[in-house]
Amino acid sequence: EIYRTVPLTSPMGFASRLAMADAMNAFGRVDEAISYLEELAATYTDDYAPLAAIGNYLRAEERFAEAVEAYDRAFERIPEVAYEHWSLLYYRGIALERSGQWDRAEADFLKALEFEPEQPFVLNYLGYSWVEQGKNLDEARTMIETAVKQRPGDGFIVDSLGWVLFRLGDIAGAVEWLEKAVELEPRNSVINDHLGDAYWAAERRHEAEFQWRRALALGPEPGEGPKIEAKLR
């Protein structure tokens, strides 16, 4: 209600309306916030911010295909993609990857890195995606190592380093880094599963079983549970 009192003619009028949508979203009124942002986008036809915000809300709700559509509409309003748009490229890349559009996602990540070559989150996301696909492993390792140097306390990035070492056959190195990752993010199913795989490859069978059972107990993503159960069998 306070945001509504700021006149649209004020220099802060537009920003106040974006903040109002953020407040709606924070209260779980996501669809209401999106509807309001659509009205804002229709009024400010040259500004991409309302559409980018819609994409961010939808991505957070894991409505990835819809998020891609919103981000695409936002980019249509950008005459020339520049440095200030690197984060928008990253966010759209995530939505594209999660909606199964890898080629477009990879292009967005690479474009973001042209503007921010050492951005740790972009380096990690692209590097980990390559590791999962089994390609560009040496380049992925270099990228992820760069990310770890910048964010050594981020369990997800540390996990990526352990996982690429595992894929490269450095089992001892993988165990070392994946143990650190589990210490940093003890309640993440994927990271515990990765450590279980590394323990198994190191012939530490009982520890592998413990980590896989823990990964199951932590609620794996859809489709991952049966894979972990198969490993236990």
Side-chain angles (χ1 to χ4, degrees), residues 65-106:
E66 294 174 78
V68 169
E69 182 183 350
Y71 288 131
D72 285 347
R73 291 167 61 205
F75 274 103
E76 288 172 4
R77 296 186 174 191
I78 299 173
E80 184 177 353
V81 177
Y83 172 81
E84 62 265 28
H85 305 120
W86 75 261
S87 59
L88 193 59
L89 288 162
Y90 171 55
Y91 296 144
R92 185 174 68 172
I94 293 173
L96 284 163
E97 186 271 330
R98 293 300 300 270
S99 60
Q101 302 180 63
W102 171 248
D103 289 343
R104 287 189 64 201
E106 184 178 47

Side-chain angles (χ1 to χ4, degrees), residues 16-210:
S16 72
R17 297 314 189 271
L18 291 175
M20 188 168 74
D22 278 341
M24 291 178 188
N25 182 59
F27 275 107
R29 294 154 55 184
V30 181
D31 290 330
E32 184 182 351
I34 289 172
S35 295
Y36 182 76
L37 287 168
E38 288 286 4
E39 294 176 14
L40 208 59
T43 302
Y44 296 87
T45 55
D46 293 331
D47 202 299
Y48 69 88
L51 297 171
I54 291 172
N56 290 339
Y57 297 167
L58 291 168
R59 178 172 52 85
E61 293 288 307
E62 300 188 356
R63 294 158 61 179
F64 297 112
E66 294 174 78
V68 169
E69 182 183 350
Y71 288 131
D72 285 347
R73 291 167 61 205
F75 274 103
E76 288 172 4
R77 296 186 174 191
I78 299 173
E80 184 177 353
V81 177
Y83 172 81
E84 62 265 28
H85 305 120
W86 75 261
S87 59
L88 193 59
L89 288 162
Y90 171 55
Y91 296 144
R92 185 174 68 172
I94 293 173
L96 284 163
E97 186 271 330
R98 293 300 300 270
S99 60
Q101 302 180 63
W102 171 248
D103 289 343
R104 287 189 64 201
E106 184 178 47
D108 273 357
F109 293 138
L110 290 170
K111 187 67 176 176
L113 288 174
E114 287 181 21
F115 298 121
E116 274 284 345
E118 296 197 356
Q119 214 296 321
F121 295 114
V122 184
L123 288 170
N124 180 63
Y125 206 107
L126 178 57
Y128 183 82
S129 297
W130 280 346
V131 173
E132 286 292 272
Q133 296 170 32
K135 69 178 189 181
N136 304 333
L137 294 183
D138 289 328
E139 187 176 356
R141 175 180 178 171
T142 300
M143 292 166 68
I144 294 167
E145 285 176 339
T146 300
V148 168
K149 286 177 184 177
Q150 296 180 72
R151 296 189 63 85
D154 189 314
F156 296 100
I157 296 178
V158 171
D159 167 70
S160 296
L161 180 54
W163 195 232
V164 71
L165 292 173
F166 178 81
R167 289 294 182 88
L168 287 167
D170 181 359
I171 304 305
V175 167
E176 177 185 352
W177 284 100
L178 290 170
E179 286 179 338
K180 290 180 181 178
V182 166
E183 288 178 9
L184 292 165
E185 290 288 342
R187 299 193 59 78
N188 183 272
S189 178
V190 173
I191 296 176
N192 280 274
D193 184 30
H194 285 169
L195 181 56
D197 289 1
Y199 279 153
W200 184 265
E203 299 186 357
R204 294 164 64 173
R205 308 304 198 201
H206 293 301
E207 289 163 289
E209 179 182 359
F210 175 85

